[in-house]
Amino acid sequence: MIDAYGRKITYLRLSVTELCNLRCRYCMPEDGVCKKRHEDMLTQEEMLAAVKAAAELGITKVRVTGGEPLVKRDILSICRGVARTEGIEEVCITTNGTLLPELARPLREAGVSRVNISLDTLDAQKYAYITRRGSLEEALRGIDAALNAGYDKVKINTVLIGGFNDDEIPALAELTRKYPVDLRFIELMPMVDSKDFGPEAFIPCDLVRRKLPELETEPQDNGVARLYRLPGAQGRIGLISPVSSHFCGTCNRIRLTADGKIKPCLHSDQEFPIKGLDYQGMLEQMRAAILAKPACHGELSAQSLSHAGRSMNQIGG
Ligand code: SAM
Ligand code: SF4
């Protein structure tokens, strides 16, 4: 479906849970989320009906996310159901990777073709600090498991944080020489939970180009990253700059939260509830949400927080 600004909406980010086994400092509060009532969350049947409605409106790609999607008990049957939905051509997942050693193969067999793994540092102590409880070793084992499970593509997502990992840009980039992975640096977004980060933490992705002058420009695909490659590397380096240079003009996505709200824009508090609706009702809400997509989100900076109205783990980053 085409939205009010001529953008073709083809991509749904489906959050299957708000819960997570980590507590990244820029994403969620230390004490976790206040667990909502089970009956307020979408059931698997409702998620799959929503995906079917989305496909009817032209969605072809679904990214399963959260919270941490792999802590969801029925994650395999959700992914299988999404992959079998008529019109859905691609099912991807975004994960912190820690549960991939057990789940990488079953997810691949369930029809997931691409996996993005979040990794902000290669230093075990810094990993434990930024995730408040995670183990770097588990995350690295997760990357290994994904690489051995036959995915079409494995990507690593690194949130670039001034004073935390800007000194690791060359080491993180080296992963693209060592493994057949794309690594994407993503600017830290000023969400409600990132308010403890000072202005120095919000650094533009252009810093990566200054730190890695040898980067060669790669042809662009239809994603949001600007693409480069280290000479001779197996994978590409992507720069995703939602803060310093937003990509609203080509935004092709909508989001569905685990508690059943369609969000036309990550940085707006406008939401279209679908919990408890029948298929026709979901279809109408989804159409309304697409037509309500704003032309652009407001300013984002250390001083002006996102208007998302929720933590990232409650949206589905
Ligand atoms: N738990 C999974 C994971 O960490 O990959 C999926 C959900 S997480 C919310 C999705 C992505 O959002 C992660 O790559 C995470 O680093 C990113 N993210 C969360 N909060 C962010 C923020 N304030 N700015 C930029 N990226 C953020
Ligand atoms: Fe969990 Fe992912 Fe948020 Fe980290 S970024 S707290 S792993 S949902």
Side-chain angles (χ1 to χ4, degrees), residues 13 20 26-27 65-69 94-96 116-118 120 157 159 186-191 194 312-313 316-317:
R13 292 177 80 103
C20 186
Y26 45 70
C27 177
T65 180
E68 174 47 46
T94 297
T95 169
N96 62 39
N116 287 5
I117 302 170
S118 303
D120 299 333
N157 286 344
V159 180
I186 304 172
E187 288 174 356
L188 175 65
M189 290 184 278
M191 310 301 288
S194 43
M312 265 311 242
N313 69 299

Side-chain angles (χ1 to χ4, degrees), residues 118-137:
S118 303
L119 182 75
D120 299 333
T121 173
L122 292 167
D123 177 298
Q125 277 184 353
K126 284 164 76 175
Y127 187 88
Y129 169 80
I130 200 74
T131 62
R132 290 202 187 97
R133 59 180 61 190
S135 142
L136 175 66
E137 200 190 322

